[in-house]
Amino acid sequence: DVVLTQSPLSLPVTLGQPASISCRSSQNLVYSDGNTYLNWFQQRPGQSPRRLIYKVSDRDSGVPDRFSGSGSGTYFTLRISRVEAEDVGIYYCMQGTHWPLTFGGGTKVEIK
Amino acid sequence: QVHLVESGGGVVQPGRSLRLSCATSGFTFNNFGMHWVRQVPGKGPEWLAVIWYNGRNQQYADSVASRFTISRDNSKNTLYLEMASLRAEDTAVYFCVRDARPEVYAANFDYWGQGTLVTVSS
């Protein structure tokens, strides 16, 4: 199975400051169609996950442009340019290239 | 607006069976693949199963392959998960999740339901 390793586990951030989360895959996530099926999800306390980013860097409709995704192959990053209070929650990367589908362990973003 | 509403969760004894349902609306159900994902409170999500738009292809995680069955009724816009021989470690919130495409060669989750809690306990 593909192992996704996220870091850090916990990310205390000052409001208005940037934040960055990394996701490292044990296998290359490029699929045979040329796409890389690496998604990022946000899970606020008490809510179900919400997709923010799909195929590495495509931002979902309604997601603030302070969220961005980058990376290739086995290393990926989610960036928040200026953290706001509503960004508190746990962020997960997830790969859809290889079966079984797998998730990273999560990064908890909190406000300092 | 896409809506996915799970139901059927509850407390069940070890070894018993349970069927979860996911009622959908706001999109053409038979145009999309669907998944079940579970999450133990305080832990990360775990993918369980996928079914293609027409119900002809399914795939499972090893942890549930011999005990769980995913199915769909496109006439009712509803997804199901039949769970048998339940164990304490199956205790979790169960989510139905839509895939962005009908044939799920590679997965691309988009919408999640709110989840239904299954507790396996004597």
Side-chain angles (χ1 to χ4, degrees), chain A residues 37 41 43 48 51 96 99, chain B residues 39 101 105 107-109 112-113:
Chain A
Y37 293 94
F41 295 91
Q43 189 171 29
S48 54
R51 194 178 70 176
W99 299 91
Chain B
Q39 186 174 29
R101 293 184 296 189
Y105 292 102
N108 197 9
F109 291 3
W112 296 59

Side-chain angles (χ1 to χ4, degrees), chain B residues 6-118:
Chain B
E6 302 90 339
S7 61
V11 179
V12 60
Q13 293 179 328
R16 303 298 291 261
S17 299
L18 199 64
R19 187 177 84 157
L20 305 182
S21 300
C22 172
T24 73
S25 61
F27 65 101
T28 304
F29 182 63
N30 60 12
N31 282 353
F32 294 88
M34 298 292 296
H35 303 259
W36 284 100
V37 174
R38 70 184 176 187
Q39 186 174 29
V40 175
K43 303 293 185 183
E46 177 190 13
W47 172 80
L48 298 177
V50 62
I51 188 167
W52 285 22
Y53 72 105
N54 57 7
R56 291 178 186 167
N57 290 68
Q58 305 92 33
Q59 198 159 342
Y60 298 90
D62 287 347
S63 58
V64 303
S66 60
R67 301 183 297 123
F68 291 10
T69 302
I70 188 172
S71 62
R72 63 192 296 159
D73 186 336
N74 286 347
S75 69
K76 297 181 178 179
N77 297 330
T78 301
L79 176 72
Y80 302 100
L81 184 68
E82 193 76 46
M83 304 185 294
S85 304
L86 284 163
R87 308 164 180 165
E89 54 265 37
D90 294 319
T91 294
V93 176
Y94 286 71
F95 297 97
C96 67
V97 184
R98 195 184 80 167
D99 200 279
R101 293 184 296 189
E103 296 176 333
V104 192
Y105 292 102
N108 197 9
F109 291 3
D110 51 14
Y111 293 94
W112 296 59
Q114 87 290 345
T116 186
L117 176 62
V118 173

Side-chain angles (χ1 to χ4, degrees), chain A residues 13-25:
Chain A
V13 187
T14 301
L15 287 173
Q17 293 301 301
S20 180
I21 301 169
S22 72
C23 176
R24 188 181 300 272
S25 172

